[in-house]
Amino acid sequence: MKKSKCNRSSGIGGQAVLEGVMMRNKDDYAVAIRKPNGEIDVEVEVFHSIFQGSVLTKIPFIRGVFNFIDSLRIGMKALNYSASFYEDEDAKETKLDKALDKVSGGRGESILMGITTVFSIVLAVGIFILLPYFLSSLLSEYVRNTSLLSIIEGDIRILIFFIYVVGISMMKDIHRLYQYHGAEHKCINCIEMGRPLTVHNVMRSSRIHKRCGTSFLFFVMFVSIILFFFIRVDSPMLRLGLRILLIPVIAGISYEIIRLAGRTDNILVRIISAPGMFLQRLTTKEPDESMAEVAIKSVEAVFDWKAYLKETFGYEVDDSWMTDEPASYEED
């Protein structure tokens, strides 16, 4: 059987959650969770964007901002759902929960999720955008060259991000989350390389993928360095304000780059994708077969991978293929 050696974008994406994987295909998304009793629970829902129907979601370099916000919303919702399987059964509703439900008409959980999302964004801006600026400004008395200061600021930003990634990867619970992250990537790579979605094929696929959120965050760091290097103002407060105001611009540019990286495989794309893919070796870990099973369930709930293989690679998959025996074609 002949198959392409180059990945074909399937359009699906996802993220790891607590003991599971969320997969999204257009407006449909599924969360598959390995429950404490060992069973796999699969929840399928339709995501309703708050920007539904807006023409802005189709304009290049602007749509990335709205896509990023939607991704945060769906990611938080999936994480909260997965955590519900492992909550303390004796936990009682707090006074804050009751007050929010009363004021919001029963939408207290959604409000808390929104507050948490906003707080996470503010914290990320403070740590990865503002902190590097303040640390580099401490050197202004010793470094008179503004271009060099901008480069130092960018280096500090990347260093903080790297330390953060390495630090949380050492936590036991995060390690398992990263294993499910690896399972998510392996499933997508498996079908985009034209392989039937079996545990065997998933386990032998790569855990590194160009469209990963880790790569997106690295592009955010990289693009911010370039923009801040060329935008020069004298006022320190104005410089600080511009760094905050330019965040949507940075996110929009980064989104277009990662879209291009997912669809193109030329030498330039491989070069700019290399650092982010290197970081993925820290944010993904090799999953076990039980984790691959969970990820497969999540994919199958929202994506017809057999139809995709037929349309993209030109062959049909029947039941005789669905084994975990080694496939007959050569390894890549």
Side-chain angles (χ1 to χ4, degrees), residues 57-316:
T57 61
K58 297 179 171 46
I59 301 177
F61 298 103
I62 295 179
R63 60 190 174 188
V65 179
F66 302 105
N67 184 276
F68 178 66
I69 294 172
D70 279 344
S71 296
L72 282 177
R73 288 181 61 227
I74 195 173
M76 289 296 295
K77 190 172 182 180
L79 278 170
N80 287 340
Y81 176 75
S82 65
S84 68
F85 288 92
Y86 292 87
E87 288 177 348
D88 185 356
E89 294 181 357
D90 296 328
K92 296 181 179 180
E93 189 177 31
T94 65
K95 292 182 179 180
L96 177 61
D97 294 330
K98 294 177 180 178
L100 282 175
D101 282 334
K102 185 176 181 180
V103 172
S104 63
R107 298 181 63 249
E109 185 177 347
S110 298
I111 292 176
L112 279 175
M113 185 173 67
I115 293 173
T116 302
T117 301
V118 171
F119 177 76
S120 300
I121 294 174
V122 171
L123 188 62
V125 170
I127 294 174
F128 300 113
I129 299 295
L130 303 185
L131 180 60
Y133 170 75
F134 282 119
L135 291 178
S136 63
S137 66
L138 296 176
L139 301 174
S140 59
E141 293 184 7
Y142 310 98
V143 180
R144 299 296 182 180
N145 188 304
T146 54
S147 297
L148 181 57
L149 269 178
S150 295
I151 294 173
I152 292 173
E153 178 188 345
D155 290 341
I156 293 174
R157 182 171 293 113
I158 291 177
L159 179 62
I160 290 174
F161 180 61
F162 182 76
I163 292 173
Y164 168 79
V165 169
V166 172
I168 65 172
S169 68
M170 295 179 180
M171 299 169 62
K172 181 180 178 181
D173 290 341
I174 297 298
H175 183 85
R176 284 192 64 81
L177 190 72
Y178 283 174
Q179 284 183 286
Y180 277 106
H181 189 191
E184 174 225 328
H185 282 190
K186 281 174 171 284
C187 278
I188 297 174
N189 279 324
C190 177
I191 57 180
E192 290 185 347
M193 288 300 294
R195 299 167 177 162
L197 194 62
T198 65
V199 172
H200 171 78
N201 287 337
V202 166
M203 292 300 291
R204 74 188 187 97
S205 297
S206 173
R207 74 174 198 266
I208 310 299
H209 198 283
K210 286 183 179 178
R211 297 197 308 271
C212 175
T214 303
S215 292
F216 171 77
L217 290 176
F218 178 82
F219 285 138
V220 166
M221 304 292 165
F222 180 72
V223 171
S224 69
I225 293 173
I226 295 175
L227 284 184
F228 298 160
F229 180 85
F230 287 104
I231 296 177
R232 306 289 178 83
V233 291
D234 293 330
S235 170
M237 290 303 296
L238 187 54
R239 283 200 300 269
L240 187 61
L242 282 174
R243 275 154 176 72
I244 297 175
L245 292 175
L246 285 172
I247 289 173
V249 178
I250 294 169
I253 295 173
S254 302
Y255 176 77
E256 298 303 324
I257 295 175
I258 203 166
R259 271 177 61 93
L260 177 65
R263 300 169 182 269
T264 312
D265 197 37
N266 59 47
I267 183 65
L268 178 60
V269 168
R270 288 201 297 269
I271 290 173
I272 64 176
S273 298
M277 295 180 76
F278 168 77
L279 283 174
Q280 285 182 51
R281 299 188 179 279
L282 298 174
T283 62
T284 63
K285 302 297 180 184
E286 285 295 329
D288 57 35
E289 292 189 353
S290 68
M291 295 172 175
E293 290 174 358
V294 174
I296 289 172
K297 291 288 187 183
S298 186
V299 173
E300 292 181 330
V302 292
F303 185 74
D304 188 347
W305 61 267
K306 292 182 181 179
Y308 168 81
L309 292 186
K310 181 178 180 180
E311 178 181 351
T312 307
F313 296 91
Y315 67 86
E316 295 188 26

Side-chain angles (χ1 to χ4, degrees), residues 24-70:
R24 181 180 179 184
N25 179 29
K26 298 179 181 177
D27 292 332
D28 297 324
Y29 73 96
V31 186
I33 307 295
R34 178 75 70 177
K35 297 194 294 185
N37 64 6
E39 297 178 356
I40 300 176
D41 177 271
V42 181
E43 181 79 7
V44 181
E45 289 194 25
V46 177
F47 178 70
H48 299 286
S49 171
I50 57 177
F51 310 109
Q52 194 79 33
S54 173
V55 68
L56 295 177
T57 61
K58 297 179 171 46
I59 301 177
F61 298 103
I62 295 179
R63 60 190 174 188
V65 179
F66 302 105
N67 184 276
F68 178 66
I69 294 172
D70 279 344

